[in-house]
Amino acid sequence: MTDWFVALPQKRAFWFCLTAFAVFLEGTALIYQYVLDYLPCVICIHVRLLVAACLVVWLVAGFTCAQPWCKGAALVACVGLSGLLAERSWQLLATENGWSVGSCEMTLGLPEWIALDRWLPWLFEIHEPCGYTPYIVAKISMAEVLMGLSLLLTGLFIALASMTWLRAQRAF
């Protein structure tokens, strides 16, 4: 079982399944925005940016997973990105439930040279202040689903990175 788990980052199918999952998440966000008319706030856009970054890392890893250096770099990037995703999901959930008191600005906070909200406004433009997320199913909000998914991804990538590193240490 452990050998199978540690071998996952070397398999293209693993990375391409994650890529498909990221496309699904971005597509779901767009359906909620354009079909169901739930407009995104700044934290929602931060989540979209992180999912897009994961999509890029997972896609590149899918094509280069046979390279040992790429596997390690991808796992480190995935731990960082999924950790950031968990933080943003927590902030969204805390704002939604009133656990966090703070201001929600209507700016993305990116430098001028990477103005994604102007380049791709249909995907990254902020439309409203933070406050709530829609229910997905059975009174479970989008923020709660994102929190669970981000914790699951963070745990997965920490486990994979740790086991890969331990296995590499034993090889020396």
Side-chain angles (χ1 to χ4, degrees):
M1 175 74 172
T2 303
D3 292 334
W4 172 84
F5 186 71
V6 174
L8 276 178
Q10 297 169 343
K11 298 183 184 308
R12 288 182 193 273
F14 172 71
W15 296 108
F16 290 140
C17 284
L18 287 171
T19 302
F21 179 63
V23 168
F24 170 76
L25 290 176
E26 294 288 14
T28 300
L30 292 174
I31 288 170
Y32 270 84
Q33 179 177 346
Y34 290 107
V35 176
L36 302 175
D37 203 30
Y38 288 102
L39 300 176
C41 68
V42 67
I43 299 174
C44 298
I45 298 299
H46 287 166
V47 168
R48 286 188 191 182
L49 285 167
L50 288 166
V51 170
C54 287
L55 190 149
V56 170
V57 168
W58 296 340
L59 188 61
V60 169
F63 286 112
T64 60
C65 63
Q67 305 297 325
W69 63 270
C70 182
K71 176 180 70 169
L75 288 173
V76 168
C78 288
V79 168
L81 287 170
S82 61
L84 286 171
L85 186 60
E87 185 278 329
R88 291 283 78 195
S89 299
W90 167 253
Q91 190 60 48
L92 187 60
L93 185 61
T95 301
E96 178 177 275
N97 289 305
W99 304 332
S100 172
V101 178
S103 65
C104 185
E105 297 180 13
M106 294 294 286
T107 60
L108 200 48
L110 294 174
E112 282 296 315
W113 54 271
I114 188 163
L116 292 174
D117 53 340
R118 286 196 312 261
W119 299 341
L120 301 168
W122 57 273
L123 184 59
F124 297 122
E125 187 175 40
I126 302 163
H127 289 276
E128 61 183 35
C130 303
Y132 74 96
T133 58
Y135 289 122
I136 301 294
V137 70
K139 298 269 184 180
I140 298 173
S141 72
M142 188 178 283
E144 292 166 331
V145 170
L146 285 170
M147 190 74 237
L149 289 174
S150 62
L151 290 175
L152 185 72
L153 286 172
T154 303
L156 170 71
F157 289 120
I158 287 173
L160 282 171
S162 300
M163 293 176 80
T164 301
W165 183 78
L166 288 172
R167 179 151 299 182
Q169 293 302 311
R170 276 190 250 140
F172 284 116

